[in-house]
Amino acid sequence: MTQWERLQQLDTVYSQRAFDLYNGDEFPMDVRHYLAHWIEGQDWERASRDSSQAAFLFQVLLENLDNQFSRFAQERDSFLLQRNFRRYKQNFQKYQEEPYTLATIINWFLVKEKGILNDAELAQQVQTLQVQPAAMELESQRQVEKRLKDLKTKVEVMEHSIRCLEEQQDEFDFKYQTHLMDSCTAEEKKKQLEGLQKMLNAVDNCRRNFLSDISAILNAADVLCSALIDEELVEWKRRQQKSCIGAPDDTSLEHLEKWFTQIIECMFQLQMFLQKLDELVGKMTYENDPIPVQKPPLQSRVDTLLTHLIKSSFVVENQPSMPQGRGLLVLRTNVQFSVKVRLLYKVPELNHVMKVTVSVNNATSQLKGFRKFNVLGTLSKALNMAESMNGGMVADFRHLTLKDRKVGGGGKGINDLSLSVTEELHRITFQTQFDYQGLSVPLETSSLPVVVISNSSQQQSAWASVLWFNMLCPDPENVKFFETSPAATWPQFGEMLSWQFLSCGKRCLHNDQLETLAIKLFGKQQSYDNCKISWTKFSKENLPDTNFTLWVWLDGILNLVKLYLSDLWSDGSIMGFVSKGKERLLLKKKQNGTFLLRFSESIKDGGITFSWVQYANDGTPSVHTVKPFTSTDLKQIALPDILCNFRIMVAENIPVNPLCYLYPNTPKDQAFGKYYSEKTEEENPYLKYLKTKLVFVSKENSCSGVREGPESDLCTQDRDPPSISDAGDDDVLLRESEKSPMLSSSTTDADILNSMLDIDGESTVPKPFPATSPHISLSCLHQNFPESAGDNLEEAHFTDTFQEFFNEINFQIQQEEPDDVILDLGF
């Protein structure tokens, strides 16, 4: 299946991205479609660098266009395609002198297509919770399994060999004792000695072969141990490190536990074989016996391998975390946290035998200025199989607490490294003693570095430190990492950001979103692979024209997604990161009422806004944007309900919902209907009897409304959207409707409108609204409003028409090209 065919089979969200890719005229979609097989069979990347190759492909492309033109000429219904292909060929002629430019363009389109396919595959994997391991990982696991199987087979053969050796030696010993006791002639004794000599030579040869086989097995075990400890275990630790900051990596220990248990069992069997050789030597030895000479170094190798394996098998399975913490590895003094350790050698005989003790700061206690802590709680637990789902040897510490240890005059003191509290790295250390089958090994393991805070306000900075360290540093012992923190490359940084959105909203960032962020950080670049961002720029320096850092802005959006937008983000309804220029470019190509959701770039704690396209009577498109909604707003009313009930006031006070289609062309109710908290009027004919909501009325530079509770100024330019935190569920009655400018006026003064413009919008000052009425299609609305509604305001019959309108929510808008729109700010 070609790449193009795969694109056409994607879900709507991703197939639409492919269609948008070919919106321009640089490389027509028709050419891509009809020449898909040939296009994907060429090396366009090479042609973009090789002029001769580019010239050759250029000529072949023109010939293929001619051939396709001829095919269309023979088909009845292909007149338009025939005409288009003639035009495409004429357009491509401009690359006659520089064919490599066309090769570069085609290669760029193919690379973008691959990015869309990769995003779609990742989304599918996340949804099914089956992130497929890389091919190299599967191959390495197969190699370990194969080597382990070979090792076990060789050990089983050795078990048979040691029995044969013991039987040979017993037979020799019996015949030798018989020879000593037998009284026979000298000739017969000579023959017996010759037979005994042959038997002794066979025993000696068997002993030497056995020792040689043990040496060969140890060589294979060395290779296997290296693969297991230096590769598989190291990769698991790195996967665990990345999973702590949101990577969807497999961190299960089942494979490693099986491998460690099997190879350690093999080593203990070799140890038993060597002990058996000591018994055989005790029964019989002779001149040039190989066992006394060769056995000690073999015993030393077995003990070294066993010690190395057992020490490496003691790991931290679950890194330290607080129940309500910001994330893993962020701990707060005097707040309980949990952590779990595991011995990967699964041996029932040691169940409830090995006691594990916990301490803190063994490595950092010598660093001047670093804070010191005491660990409180249950500081000793036995490794046992009952606390593990699959019967592993674990010790689960669930109620540990860190407490400041006052040293000298107390306080933090002067830090030699000039690090902040959230840049200090500490480690939780665990110790135990392994005693089994004559082998005694002290074991110690430590957690990944943790950041210890004393106030909840430090959690944001602490999590930034955890992200930066685990993204860049594979060495968990480097507690001085932030003394000279390296910069992150864009691929590293983008991947880490994508993991954060995956953790908060079950969906990664796709390439277009990442590219928007890259442009924001580095400007437009041909490639961002070599672009770098420093720790200071990430977490300490404010973004241009703002009073907050890049991390504070991103973290605010992440919290917004996690708390209020996770479902919408997960199903792809939120475009998220898109520049204002691209936003307008996308919307102006769509039908009236098409809107998209994006994150605000000017809200510190995270904001989301929506923009829609609207066409005037002469067909001129204009794009409008509402002031961003923050967590304060979304805490009171969900975004789907805002989208459902959003209204603007047009001429004659007719309320209209301008939002019809979620970009690119999904009907609004189809996209968000499942999230609405209330039924629409069509589903519920008794909607008009629902309790009314608070209505804010704009008048000059203030808002007025009849409601309970304190007054609120919600119309200033620098404030967030109005909150309904002060409004209860009680009905609100506008007793004197003629005094309400929202109800009594069909126009809005331009100065009043400009005072309500969204600070997240473009910096250009919009022109005053003209007197002509905007062209807004009512076909996309669910409610039909009588045209005479604005003429009957003096009547107090709000129950039939305006009472329903008061149930809706109206917000400020910003329009790119002015129309005569009356804005109603109300809930």
Side-chain angles (χ1 to χ4, degrees), residues 795-827:
E795 297 180 16
H797 304 295
F798 291 95
T799 2
D800 295 333
T801 302
F802 283 97
Q803 190 68 29
E804 296 176 16
F805 165 63
F806 291 148
N807 288 332
E808 312 299 346
I809 302 167
N810 303 271
F811 289 99
Q812 305 175 20
I813 67 167
Q814 168 192 349
Q815 78 171 31
E816 183 186 63
E817 299 182 11
D819 286 315
D820 184 17
V821 179
I822 303 303
L823 305 182
D824 171 23
L825 292 86
F827 287 92

Side-chain angles (χ1 to χ4, degrees), residues 588-632:
K588 285 183 177 180
K589 295 178 181 179
K590 295 300 177 181
Q591 58 187 316
N592 188 64
T594 301
F595 67 99
L596 58 79
L597 304 171
R598 66 171 175 84
F599 298 123
S600 167
E601 296 183 6
S602 59
I603 304 296
K604 175 181 178 180
D605 297 322
I608 187 168
T609 183
F610 53 84
S611 303
W612 73 93
V613 64
Q614 179 177 309
Y615 289 86
N617 291 329
D618 61 359
T620 303
S622 58
V623 174
H624 306 273
T625 300
V626 298
K627 189 174 181 180
F629 305 98
T630 64
S631 58
T632 303

